[in-house]
Amino acid sequence: MHVPDGFIDAPVSAVTGVVAAGAIAVSLKGARRELDERTAPLAGLVAAFIFAVQMLNFPVAAGTSGHLLGGALAAILVGPYTGVLCVSVVLLMQGILFADGGLTALGVNITDMAIVTTVVAYAVFRGLVKVLPRGRRSITAAAFVSALLSVPAAAVAFTLLYALGGTTDVAIEKVATAMVGVHILIGIGEAAITALTVGAVIAVRPDLVYGARGLTPRLKLRVDGELVDAPAAEPAPVAARTSHRKVWITGLVTSLVLAGFVSFYASADPDGLEKVATDKGIDRKAEEHAAADSPLADYGVKDISDSRLSGGLAGVIGVGVTAVAGTGVFWAVRRRRTAEASPTQVA
């Protein structure tokens, strides 16, 4: 779904850039409410994990592959505002360092892959958890459905942007049919990855899953013949810190293995947008990426001839840079929240 330069004209690209900038500004403010001692350490890791899994293209049809978008996963794990920031950090790293997704199309990609997927997924997720029975299985099921729907929603969003600013004369009906059709299949893979990841984190530390907060029934006590909510037990600080560290290390190692080793076995077929663009002629006016000469362009390290080593090193570097950049952003947001809260607490 990474849109290259030249697919969408300058006016629409500029408008989406303004939309993306506004959404990021709103998300920075909203993330201050979401990032606490539980989600702040996890947010940078989520960005790194999304980067790693996006390198794992999986086959969905003859000659076509797909990969995780990550909006649903990020929104459920760390919250919708922080989720927008997570995916935006990934897209920024991919565009600047790896020449994946055009720089003039960065606003298009953030709008489509970060904003649309996160908003749609989290809206569907919250709607489902309100009607489903409370429990871990319901959260996992809601994660699956919300991720599944977020991908064709992004395909529809791209189609609308193409209708407004497409640079080639292709019937919009053909673009819509091809984009939505292939991305429904990709959505199934997105849903499976999201549900498995959310389920794995819930099994270890359910309190780290933002979307699962408040969904576990409170323990009831009988007082004077009436059932009342029991007071929440205070967590053990040392155990929590140790568990936090274990989750973070496990997630980081998993991301490094996926990007540095497993990615070599990913499908080499073009992804959904690339395939549709080639088949329908959308790519006739595609432009060369401004960072095409980057040492890490196309997810390989320049001057290393061994493709496995080159791709693996690029993946490891990408995970590391994304983790550092994401953690830095979320640490700064968290620190800002702490600084703003201090005067109130003192008063």
Side-chain angles (χ1 to χ4, degrees):
M1 190 75 74
H2 293 79
V3 180
D5 295 319
F7 276 26
I8 306 295
D9 64 20
V12 173
S13 296
V15 171
T16 56
V18 173
V19 171
I24 289 174
V26 171
S27 297
L28 285 169
K29 186 175 181 179
R32 296 177 197 167
R33 299 190 299 270
E34 294 174 347
L35 291 171
D36 55 22
E37 67 280 356
R38 292 175 291 178
T39 53
L42 188 63
L45 176 61
V46 169
F49 182 76
I50 290 173
F51 176 92
V53 180
Q54 283 197 2
M55 294 183 67
L56 308 181
N57 282 48
F58 48 85
V60 295
T64 308
S65 69
H67 62 71
L68 182 82
L69 296 184
L73 178 62
I76 295 168
L77 287 180
V78 293
Y81 293 108
T82 309
V84 169
L85 298 178
C86 281
V87 182
S88 297
V89 167
V90 173
L91 293 172
L92 188 61
M93 295 299 102
Q94 290 171 331
I96 293 175
L97 298 179
F98 297 91
D100 190 9
L103 295 183
T104 62
L106 186 59
V108 174
N109 286 320
I110 290 177
T111 300
D112 195 23
M113 295 177 65
I115 301 171
V116 172
T117 58
T118 301
V119 171
V120 170
Y122 198 71
V124 172
F125 177 82
R126 294 306 304 175
L128 289 174
V129 295
K130 287 182 179 179
V131 298
L132 292 173
R134 291 173 178 250
R136 296 179 181 179
R137 291 184 179 180
S138 296
I139 297 170
T140 304
F144 183 94
V145 176
S146 60
L148 173 63
L149 296 178
S150 70
V151 179
V156 170
F158 169 79
T159 303
L160 293 175
L161 292 174
Y162 184 81
L164 295 173
T167 55
T168 54
D169 186 17
V170 179
I172 195 63
E173 296 82 6
K174 294 181 179 180
V175 176
T177 301
M179 284 293 293
V180 174
V182 72
H183 283 90
I184 287 176
L185 298 177
I186 295 173
I188 297 173
E190 176 103 11
I193 294 170
T194 301
L196 288 171
T197 305
V198 171
V201 178
I202 287 179
V204 179
R205 284 292 300 274
D207 61 304
L208 292 182
V209 180
Y210 182 90
R213 295 182 183 181
L215 298 180
T216 304
R218 292 282 295 275
L219 179 67
K220 298 289 185 179
L221 296 178
R222 187 174 296 279
V223 179
D224 296 331
E226 296 183 2
L227 289 176
V228 297
D229 287 335
E234 291 293 332
V238 176
R241 281 197 298 269
T242 302
S243 184
H244 259 149
R245 192 178 299 114
K246 288 181 179 179
V247 170
W248 206 93
I249 292 174
T250 301
L252 181 61
V253 170
T254 301
S255 300
L256 291 171
V257 170
L258 291 176
F261 177 73
V262 180
S263 62
F264 180 77
Y265 302 96
S267 173
D269 291 331
D271 64 24
L273 177 59
E274 290 177 302
K275 180 66 173 176
V276 172
T278 301
D279 291 347
K280 304 302 178 184
I282 297 175
D283 61 350
R284 287 198 295 266
K285 294 187 178 181
E287 301 172 2
E288 184 179 15
H289 200 286
D293 294 329
S294 166
L296 299 172
D298 298 323
Y299 299 94
V301 178
K302 191 175 183 180
D303 297 330
I304 295 183
S305 57
D306 187 294
S307 59
R308 176 175 295 189
L309 179 60
S310 176
L313 283 175
V316 169
I317 293 171
V319 168
V321 172
T322 305
V324 170
T327 301
V329 169
F330 300 124
W331 177 82
V333 173
R334 169 66 177 157
R335 188 178 182 184
R336 179 72 178 272
R337 167 182 166 165
T338 303
E340 290 179 349
S342 296
T344 303
Q345 293 170 353
V346 171

